[in-house]
Amino acid sequence: MIWQRFRPSRSSAFLYLYLKMLVPLYSLICAEVHVWYLCPGELNDQSQLEMYKQLLSPAEKEYADSIKETTLRKHAMLSCALKRTTLSRYCKIDPRSFEFMYNNFHKPEILWPSDDIVELPLHFNISHTTSLIACGIAMDANIGIDIEEKKRKTTKSILSLARCFFTPSEAHYLTEISDSYAQEKEFFKLWTLKEAYVKALGLGLSGAPLNEFTINLKTSKGIRVSKASKVCNDSNSGCDRLSENWLFALAKLNSSHYMSVCMEDDTRCQGPENSPAPVGLKVWKTIPFVEDTLVSGTEAVKLIA
Ligand SMILES: *[C@@H]1O[C@H](CO)[C@@H](O)[C@H](O)[C@H]1NC(C)=O
Ligand SMILES: *[C@@H]1O[C@H](CO)[C@@H](O)[C@H](O)[C@H]1NC(C)=O
Ligand SMILES: *[C@@H]1O[C@H](CO)[C@@H](O)[C@H](O)[C@H]1NC(C)=O
């Protein structure tokens, strides 16, 4: 097995450990998203955390260290470590060697060096809550991921939030739900879908306000987005290639979270009757270097749509 490196780096205990585990090379087919998540609350061993920290670039370390609050500092570090270990599974590159470039909204893409490395069109995005960090990865297609705790409560009324942040048709969809518990659930589903879409576009909320596009939860092609003209007038982030061709997956994760994934539709993946293939979602829970558990198809991942 050839272990690719961007640049010569001293072999170290971490890399040795990683190789020793013989982590398989994962691959993605089109219209497929893989999600790797970890639960920071389960990772408390100081030497293990120190090992993860060694994977970060000096700038990432500096950023993480600048965070005063202990838990947030740990999460920032773990996010970077999860990003690096996840990427290395798909190209067998030393997790420490990745370099990134950032768009205007600070969305990273891999900065491939020009020498003898095979460039892979890997796209990834991360989302976290206080108890879970999830990294989504796809090949050849922009993606966005968003997670929210199901138990999350709002202090404001759902309908006033919806009128403020959502489009009239989404607000109307929520108005039609009389049960307030169900209404709140639908609100958070829509919220994660909208966030995942904005993140897939590579924009921040300032670049694509949530009330400028509509998510339709129930179309014959599954969940779809209808473009609001404004979103695509923005010349940032390759907006010109944007269309309504985005695929979504919505799932319950670990019974505790909603997770939405949005990915660019790939016309080459179209099935019969011109219907776009749904997102193929595979999910692993990971403790990097220690244990990976495929959780799709188990109680931990319940596909909603
Ligand atoms: C996952 O689910 C279990 C059981 O419902 C819960 O105890 C645990 O806190 C959850 N983990 C996260 C990260 O939410
Ligand atoms: C995910 O996407 C958002 C929106 O573009 C971006 O701000 C964020 O930095 C991305 N995170 C990662 C780790 O890719
Ligand atoms: C965006 O473009 C559409 C159609 O080209 C136009 O009608 C709309 O006014 C534009 N919006 C902005 C904010 O420029």
Side-chain angles (χ1 to χ4, degrees):
M1 185 188 298
I2 295 173
W3 188 264
Q4 293 200 41
R5 270 186 288 179
F6 277 176
R7 49 191 148 73
S9 60
R10 206 158 37 84
S11 75
S12 71
F14 317 116
L15 183 53
Y16 173 67
L17 255 176
Y18 201 58
L19 280 166
K20 212 171 106 178
M21 274 193 57
L22 292 177
V23 175
L25 179 63
Y26 290 85
S27 58
L28 287 145
I29 55 170
C30 70
E32 194 176 39
V33 170
H34 290 176
V35 173
W36 295 82
Y37 75 90
L38 55 77
C39 304
E42 296 173 2
L43 304 176
N44 294 309
D45 181 271
Q46 282 312 316
S47 61
Q48 197 182 349
L49 291 174
E50 191 49 41
M51 172 174 89
Y52 293 148
K53 194 174 171 187
Q54 295 312 317
L55 303 176
L56 275 55
S57 71
E60 287 169 340
K61 270 185 213 155
E62 193 182 330
Y63 170 71
D65 282 339
S66 73
I67 299 171
K68 295 270 178 308
E69 208 275 311
T70 322
T71 312
L72 293 178
R73 186 164 65 237
K74 176 178 165 189
H75 284 204
M77 186 277 284
L78 285 174
S79 272
C80 289
L82 178 65
K83 167 183 78 182
R84 290 174 172 274
T85 53
T86 300
L87 290 172
S88 71
R89 296 175 193 277
Y90 294 82
C91 50
K92 287 276 171 193
I93 283 171
D94 182 335
R96 293 166 301 173
S97 296
F98 289 99
E99 290 181 34
F100 302 95
M101 55 191 173
Y102 297 89
N103 76 5
N104 294 346
F105 296 91
H106 209 69
K107 184 169 184 171
E109 289 290 336
I110 301 170
L111 181 62
W112 298 92
S114 44
D115 50 14
D116 60 343
I117 297 280
V118 186
E119 275 189 38
L120 291 176
L122 289 171
H123 294 266
F124 61 97
N125 196 230
I126 285 187
S127 180
H128 51 91
T129 64
T130 53
S131 58
L132 203 144
I133 307 177
C135 178
I137 182 163
M139 188 79 87
D140 261 324
N142 285 310
I143 74 158
I145 182 169
D146 193 60
I147 58 173
E148 286 293 342
E149 277 175 7
K150 276 171 62 196
K151 64 170 194 236
R152 185 168 161 186
K153 291 275 170 227
T154 62
T155 47
K156 294 217 172 91
S157 104
I158 289 295
L159 291 180
S160 68
L161 284 172
R163 278 186 213 106
C164 188
F165 292 110
F166 290 4
T167 59
S169 80
E170 288 165 337
H172 179 74
Y173 169 78
L174 293 172
T175 314
E176 301 277 278
I177 303 169
S178 51
D179 178 64
S180 65
Y181 178 79
Q183 192 182 55
E184 188 168 68
K185 297 289 160 247
E186 291 307 291
F187 174 84
F188 280 115
K189 287 180 199 169
L190 275 174
W191 184 272
T192 60
L193 287 162
K194 288 169 82 67
E195 289 263 333
Y197 174 61
V198 168
K199 293 173 81 178
L201 297 184
L203 301 173
L205 287 185
S206 59
L210 294 180
N211 62 4
E212 292 183 354
F213 60 89
T214 296
I215 297 286
N216 303 294
L217 280 165
K218 290 166 183 149
T219 80
S220 58
K221 291 174 168 180
I223 302 169
R224 303 297 293 191
V225 59
S226 15
K227 183 172 64 176
S229 55
K230 265 193 182 168
V231 174
C232 275
N233 288 4
D234 194 325
S235 54
N236 276 313
S237 326
C239 237
D240 29 331
R241 43 193 283 258
L242 298 181
S243 64
E244 294 173 5
N245 281 335
W246 293 84
L247 301 173
F248 293 88
L250 173 64
K252 274 188 220 166
L253 195 58
N254 186 55
S255 316
S256 55
H257 285 69
Y258 287 123
M259 172 176 75
S260 287
V261 167
C262 173
M263 81 184 297
E264 231 175 342
D265 197 356
D266 185 337
T267 47
R268 289 167 300 178
C269 295
Q270 279 186 355
E273 292 144 20
N274 265 355
S275 68
V279 175
L281 184 65
K282 266 196 197 163
V283 185
W284 288 262
K285 182 177 178 184
T286 181
I287 301 174
F289 305 129
V290 179
E291 191 176 19
D292 299 329
T293 317
L294 179 64
V295 292
S296 329
T298 72
E299 284 295 302
V301 185
K302 284 258 164 70
L303 204 62
I304 301 172

